[in-house]
Amino acid sequence: MSVVLDALSQGYGTSTVIDSLSVALRPGITALLGPNGAGKTTLLRTLATVMPPRNGRIRIDDVEISGERSARRVRDRIGYLPQEFGFDPKMTVADFVTYAAWMRGVPATQWRRSVGEALEMVDLTDRRRAKMGSLSGGMRRRAGIAWAVVGRPRLVLLDEPTVGLDPRQRLQFRKIISGLGETVVVLSTHLIDDVAAVCDRVIVMHAGAARFDGTVAEMEALGRDGLPGHSRLERAYMHLLPEGEQQL
Amino acid sequence: MSGLWLHIRNSPIRWAFPVLVVLDVAVLFLRNRYWIGDWPETGAAAQVPAYLLGTVGAGAAAWAASASTRQGVEEQLRAARVHPARVEAYRIAATLFVLLVPYLIGQAVAFAVTARTFPPGLHLWLGYVALGLFAILLAVALGWACGRLLGPVFSAFTAALGFLFLTVGLGRFEFIVVSGRPEVAVDPMPMALRLGLVVALLLIMLWLPGSGAPRQRRRSVAALLPVALSLLLVMGATAAVADREPPGDDAICLDGSMRLCIWPEHEKYLPQLREINARIDELPDSFIRPPLIIEAGLHKKQFIVINGKEYLNYADDPPFFYVLEGSPWSYAGDIGSAITSKTFGFQDLRACDWMKIIEPDQARLAAISKWMETYLVGGGRPDYHTSASQESQQAWAKGRAVAADPSRANQFRWAEGEVSDLRGRYCQPRN
Amino acid sequence: MISVDVTASRETDLPAATSPLRLFLAVRPARAVLAITVLLGALAAWFGLIQTPIPTSIEDGKAIIPLWRMIAMGAGILPVLALTSPLADLELVATQRLRSMQRRYLAGLSIGCAAIYLAICGTVLHPAVVAIIARAWIAWFGLALLAGAILGWRLAWTLPAATAAVLWYWGYSGSQHYYWWEFSARPHNDLPSLFLSAALLAAGLVAYAATPWRRRRWTWRLPRPKPSPPTSTSTSTST
């Protein structure tokens, strides 16, 4: 799986949120870091083919996404979990994840296996018959992660996936993400610890552009003393922000 | 005030505001504008949009009511320091603002237009303002109840359709008022009762929980039902509009060969009525004018009881006419009928026997009737439609054709000839 | 890379395979819509001929309207309300499978609701009246689709309600005659109002089909507003 963005621009109305971004994504875990309004969610929605780009091109595997038809062709390979998502409170967890498996074209004969696998990954097997409405916020987010990964899509897009998870669950989440194999994973997060623990690559976005695109180690090297932060990665992040935003 | 403004600015239906203003003003002006210059008609015309706004408004109110559930802020509101009823009051008030203000803008515009001449009867306008206000409050109450009690998918749809059915169902009890004739006015006591009950209904809504709390919902519905049923009972059992007391000496009268009196609120029709009166004076003597003709309602209605049933008693009353939608054809027709009735002695059973009239003579009577109407108006084509029979329409066409003759002498000659001949056949000679 | 082991025995504890249609329908109010359609049909059949006054712009301000004209509006809106889904945020990544199921659902439910509604009306009402109801249903359905596609499926009632206000207030021209665009009242064999109904249906279906990608393709030739530059002047990088 490969994802290529070429001079991508995106926005709403007359405002530009992403400006001429060029990025190539390969299997591995890429973190999208950046302040609120940087364009992270917009980028994820564009990658998910939910929003057509204003300018530029998207290529997912060998498919150039130029219209509705090509977008639908690749959506079988995409697992997208938005930051906030609705659910039917009366639906069981198993049915919720099965719905995603069906949408993604997992053959019906493999639903049990795929759904079981996804629920096992997020440690919700015991709650498979529970109604979505009865779950806590953290469990619901885990169910959402199961939605995104069921059927092993090759492009997984997660927007703030660890919101509401306790420390143990976050550790489990890291384990899940790390075990996705040859999958392009893009996760938008504010949690530097998660980035440091599992990500191969970091893209720091600010005002619609990428201010950094490299490995975790390369980013850590930018973290100099004197900047706010409790870790090198945090200091590196602060270093990458414009001067006016570097002090607390 | 800032709390209310905060809720108005963030109301989920605030985008409907300009649409409702446009709709209200369009309903008011894209129609016959006879109401201008007549306070009760102004009020009645400007409250008509309330029924149309109410259908859309009920759905909008339901949408606004369910916003806190849709947006998932119910728990935050319940945990707030401010009492939930107060929050709900702000939300309802914001919704009322969005739905009431377009209606009040319409009333204000209508007021400004009629106030240029400032005829008598301003207090009658206020009654109709209250009537429209009630319709909007009812729509909001229905919508809010649907929004709080039903699920998010069907609540707005149910409220909109429900208000439509409610107005239709209550239409049989004169719920919908479309004209403000001077002989009637909004009755203060039933109006006050209706307003009081609908406000009580809205106050109970302040404690309505969202659709996710079944037990509380049952209790709230139990509290709502008596008030709602009382309101329906009041609306069914009372009339919002009732007959007015006649104005007595305040009536405006025109003297001539016939005395003609109208309600003071209709002073704007005096110029046209003076012209009609002048044309009546010019009629040949063979046409007998009643001494007095009044606008409907100027004399108190009298009833007689026959076999236990009440009937209107016209016997001792002078003939009357209506001013319908400001059309001169309406009052000219009624005045003309009064003159032809007196001329041909339709009520004089001793002198005339019209029971043996033959069809050709019926057509001639119809022709004279329409000639008289057209003559009194001053010519032109009538502004009304009719579904009368072909024979009647032909007879009327003949009368109108005579009225189109530029020579008045010719018209009078024809009319006198017809009167003389027809009276000769069916009435005894006059002394 | 840490691998995650799946315990194979867990899969047997899962509920039996669920059909796609059952899953799809489970999150949609199809049953409620069908039930309400039957109710509205019954109302139209029993009470549809009752005439009631409504305000109009002419003729002493009131015209008489039979209830069946009003109820038809409600029946036309219902199938569109049924498009609401609590999973809408997740269904944005709509695969071909999902869109195909949505299309079949809309077609099946709307045709089913129309058939049920008209069949119930037809048990009491005159065939000419049923023909008028059918024509009006098409128009109301199209308007509801248009409103729902723009504002959201739960607001599908807005455009029909506003249109009804215009239609019933200004559509009456007097003496039991209606303007050509009054599709809820013109005679059953009236062609202009039939074409109008068909056009409204077409507009609604186009709005339904107008995904963001298609809208972009349809409007790419139109002049676009000049975008404002972002607040930062950072350059993009690529690996």
Side-chain angles (χ1 to χ4, degrees):
Chain A
M1 160 63 76
S2 68
V3 179
V4 176
L5 304 177
D6 182 23
L8 183 89
S9 291
Q10 187 61 286
Y12 304 94
T14 56
S15 68
T16 300
V17 178
I18 299 173
D19 186 29
S20 202
L21 181 70
S22 295
V23 160
L25 301 169
R26 296 269 181 267
I29 304 170
T30 302
L32 278 184
L33 275 180
N36 297 327
K40 305 189 297 297
T41 296
T42 304
L43 180 58
L44 286 179
R45 285 168 60 92
T46 308
L47 283 169
T49 71
V50 168
M51 287 174 66
R54 185 178 275 172
N55 278 310
R57 291 158 42 177
I58 310 173
R59 196 172 185 84
I60 297 179
D61 269 346
D62 53 352
V63 181
E64 173 101 13
I65 313 301
S66 57
E68 180 70 23
R69 196 172 290 182
S70 48
R72 283 196 207 160
R73 263 174 61 198
V74 300
R75 284 174 186 164
D76 282 355
R77 308 170 214 181
I78 300 174
Y80 173 52
L81 178 68
Q83 191 168 353
E84 295 190 12
F85 59 93
F87 57 92
D88 184 347
K90 295 190 291 295
M91 210 176 192
T92 64
V93 175
D95 276 351
F96 178 72
V97 181
T98 306
Y99 195 100
W102 162 68
M103 267 179 62
R104 221 161 278 147
V106 174
T109 49
Q110 293 177 30
W111 283 355
R112 274 191 197 177
R113 192 177 66 78
S114 300
V115 171
E117 193 179 271
L119 292 179
E120 177 80 25
M121 274 188 188
V122 299
D123 195 23
L124 279 180
T125 308
D126 290 342
R127 302 304 303 266
R128 63 198 177 281
R129 289 183 215 274
K131 305 281 189 209
M132 288 291 290
S134 69
L135 300 183
S136 68
M139 286 183 185
R140 234 172 266 148
R141 182 137 308 262
R142 280 153 56 197
I145 295 168
W147 168 289
V149 302
V150 70
R152 298 253 182 197
R154 286 157 58 200
L155 173 60
V156 174
L157 307 165
L158 305 170
D159 200 346
E160 307 284 356
T162 55
V163 166
L165 300 188
D166 64 35
R168 178 178 177 274
Q169 289 164 350
R170 274 178 52 204
L171 289 171
Q172 230 166 357
F173 167 76
R174 292 175 194 171
K175 198 174 161 194
I176 294 164
I177 294 301
S178 305
L180 286 178
E182 290 294 300
T183 305
V184 175
V185 180
V186 183
L187 69 108
S188 160
T189 181
H190 288 136
L191 301 171
I192 293 280
D193 291 349
D194 289 343
V195 174
V198 296
C199 296
D200 309 310
R201 180 178 169 192
V202 184
I203 299 174
V204 177
M205 292 192 65
H206 187 272
R211 291 181 73 85
F212 174 84
D213 182 358
T215 64
V216 172
E218 285 167 358
M219 186 170 162
E220 277 180 336
L222 299 174
R224 57 183 169 80
D225 292 335
L227 283 169
H230 295 290
S231 68
R232 293 196 67 150
L233 210 56
E234 271 185 2
R235 288 194 289 274
Y237 173 79
M238 295 302 286
H239 166 78
L240 288 165
L241 295 180
E243 276 208 34
E245 294 178 33
Q246 284 178 354
Q247 295 306 319
L248 299 176
Chain B
M1 188 53 159
S2 64
L4 176 61
W5 184 237
L6 185 68
H7 280 82
I8 290 170
R9 272 175 41 213
N10 292 286
S11 168
I13 59 168
R14 63 192 183 280
W15 306 113
F17 185 86
V19 176
L20 295 174
V21 172
V22 169
L23 186 64
D24 191 295
V25 175
V27 169
L28 183 58
F29 283 99
L30 295 183
R31 53 164 288 174
N32 191 325
R33 295 184 198 173
Y34 68 90
W35 51 269
I36 296 175
D38 179 344
W39 281 121
E41 292 286 12
T42 297
Q47 59 83 60
V48 164
Y51 305 110
L52 302 170
L53 260 56
T55 304
V56 178
W63 184 254
S66 59
S68 56
T69 308
R70 272 197 324 275
Q71 292 159 1
V73 296
E74 286 277 352
E75 279 193 4
Q76 287 159 268
L77 293 175
R78 278 203 291 269
R81 185 180 177 277
V82 177
H83 195 280
R86 193 165 160 199
V87 176
E88 200 72 352
Y90 277 131
R91 294 195 324 120
I92 292 180
T95 302
L96 278 171
F97 180 92
V98 173
L99 298 174
L100 263 179
V101 169
Y103 166 69
L104 294 174
I105 287 175
Q107 282 284 6
V109 170
F111 174 92
V113 169
T114 292
R116 286 181 303 181
T117 52
F118 228 99
L122 176 62
H123 62 287
L124 299 172
W125 170 76
L126 285 171
Y128 290 102
V129 174
L131 205 54
L133 180 72
F134 170 72
I136 302 268
L137 289 176
L138 186 64
V140 171
L142 176 66
W144 204 266
C146 288
R148 293 307 267 159
L149 297 173
L150 300 177
V153 178
F154 295 108
S155 56
F157 166 81
T158 304
L161 216 58
F163 185 77
L164 206 57
F165 289 157
L166 188 65
T167 52
V168 155
L170 294 170
R172 312 180 134 257
F173 301 105
E174 304 285 330
F175 172 65
I176 298 175
V177 173
V178 296
S179 69
R181 300 189 316 278
E183 69 263 29
V184 296
V186 173
D187 200 341
M189 185 52 81
M191 196 69 249
L193 262 177
R194 289 171 186 218
L195 282 172
L197 284 168
V198 80
V199 167
L201 208 56
L202 283 168
L203 286 173
I204 293 176
M205 306 268 180
L206 297 183
W207 280 272
L208 266 185
S211 57
R215 196 189 301 174
Q216 286 166 283
R217 206 175 355 152
R218 278 198 291 274
R219 270 190 253 136
S220 304
V221 170
L224 267 179
L225 270 178
V227 181
L229 287 173
S230 305
L231 179 58
L232 285 174
L233 194 66
V234 164
M235 289 172 72
T238 64
V241 170
D243 290 336
R244 281 176 72 198
E245 285 296 316
D249 293 337
D250 288 337
I252 302 174
C253 293
L254 297 172
D255 287 312
S257 55
M258 191 173 78
R259 190 169 161 86
L260 196 151
C261 296
I262 58 171
W263 286 86
E265 287 78 15
H266 272 173
E267 68 174 27
K268 74 176 223 176
Y269 297 110
L270 280 176
Q272 294 97 318
L273 286 165
R274 278 198 193 97
E275 286 176 12
I276 286 179
N277 223 17
R279 290 189 197 107
I280 292 171
D281 290 345
E282 287 174 17
L283 279 172
D285 292 338
S286 50
F287 284 97
I288 305 168
R289 293 88 150 144
L292 170 68
I293 185 166
I294 60 172
E295 190 174 0
L298 277 183
H299 279 196
K300 212 175 174 74
K301 277 184 192 151
Q302 296 185 43
F303 296 89
I304 52 172
V305 179
I306 300 174
N307 294 332
K309 280 194 180 162
E310 256 189 357
Y311 296 90
L312 273 168
N313 178 18
Y314 294 110
D316 302 325
D317 277 347
F320 57 87
F321 62 91
Y322 286 102
V323 178
L324 296 176
E325 293 199 341
S327 166
W329 293 89
S330 64
Y331 44 88
D334 291 341
I335 294 170
S337 293
I339 295 173
T340 50
S341 175
K342 191 82 176 170
T343 301
F344 290 107
F346 291 144
Q347 312 299 329
D348 190 354
L349 301 177
R350 284 177 300 178
C352 302
D353 182 9
W354 291 99
M355 298 299 290
K356 54 184 185 166
I357 186 170
I358 57 176
E359 238 181 75
D361 288 342
Q362 262 183 339
R364 291 167 71 189
L365 271 180
I368 291 179
S369 164
K370 282 305 154 187
W371 167 80
M372 176 67 76
E373 178 192 79
T374 310
Y375 165 72
L376 289 177
V377 170
R381 293 171 62 86
D383 59 7
Y384 58 86
H385 302 283
T386 176
S387 51
S389 67
Q390 196 66 10
E391 295 77 27
S392 298
Q393 304 238 26
Q394 277 170 357
W396 295 343
K398 179 161 190 235
R400 290 185 187 124
V402 173
D405 190 330
S407 162
R408 194 166 286 180
N410 287 347
Q411 290 185 41
F412 287 164
R413 199 175 308 118
W414 170 84
E416 277 185 301
E418 292 294 282
V419 167
S420 171
D421 188 53
L422 285 168
R423 273 195 64 92
R425 286 169 188 235
Y426 300 101
C427 296
Q428 292 167 19
R430 286 189 200 128
N431 299 328
Chain C
M1 191 93 61
I2 303 166
S3 63
V4 178
D5 296 325
V6 175
T7 309
S9 64
R10 294 277 191 184
E11 68 182 63
T12 59
D13 295 338
L14 283 172
T18 312
S19 80
L21 185 62
R22 194 197 77 82
L23 274 175
F24 185 85
L25 291 177
V27 296
R28 282 164 176 84
R31 270 190 294 195
V33 161
L34 285 168
I36 300 172
T37 298
V38 170
L39 176 65
L40 290 182
L43 283 175
W46 283 331
F47 303 113
L49 291 175
I50 293 176
Q51 310 261 30
T52 188
I54 55 160
T56 61
S57 60
I58 65 154
E59 292 237 348
D60 199 24
K62 260 197 226 181
I64 304 296
I65 182 173
L67 278 181
W68 56 258
R69 278 175 57 194
M70 294 184 169
I71 301 173
M73 181 185 74
I77 295 171
L78 277 172
V80 182
L81 283 179
L83 292 173
T84 315
S85 166
L87 303 178
D89 301 317
L90 296 164
E91 288 173 346
L92 280 177
V93 190
T95 57
Q96 185 57 42
R97 213 158 284 102
L98 178 66
R99 282 299 276 181
S100 171
M101 182 68 87
Q102 283 174 334
R103 276 196 305 270
R104 282 183 281 151
Y105 170 71
L106 179 64
L109 189 64
S110 55
I111 292 170
C113 283
I116 290 170
Y117 183 73
L118 294 172
I120 298 175
C121 289
T123 58
V124 174
L125 301 175
H126 191 275
V129 172
V130 176
I132 298 172
I133 293 173
R135 180 187 65 213
W137 189 99
I138 290 169
W140 294 128
F141 178 69
L143 284 166
L145 270 179
L146 193 54
I150 295 169
L151 301 170
W153 302 119
R154 285 180 294 194
L155 289 172
W157 59 272
T158 49
L159 194 52
T163 303
V166 171
L167 228 56
W168 297 336
Y169 188 72
W170 282 290
Y172 183 57
S173 58
S175 295
Q176 304 304 313
H177 288 106
Y178 299 87
Y179 288 109
W180 68 270
W181 36 267
E182 225 290 27
F183 56 76
S184 76
R186 291 282 293 183
H188 68 283
N189 52 1
D190 180 62
L191 281 181
S193 56
L194 180 63
F195 288 146
L196 176 62
S197 295
L200 289 172
L201 174 65
L205 291 172
V206 166
Y208 174 74
T211 61
W213 285 93
R214 286 188 179 135
R215 282 200 298 272
R216 186 183 91 141
R217 178 163 283 190
W218 296 339
T219 59
W220 76 275
R221 282 207 172 113
L222 296 177
R224 291 203 228 165
K226 196 175 157 128
S228 57
T231 52
S232 164
T233 54
S234 306
T235 54
S236 61
T237 64
S238 60
T239 56

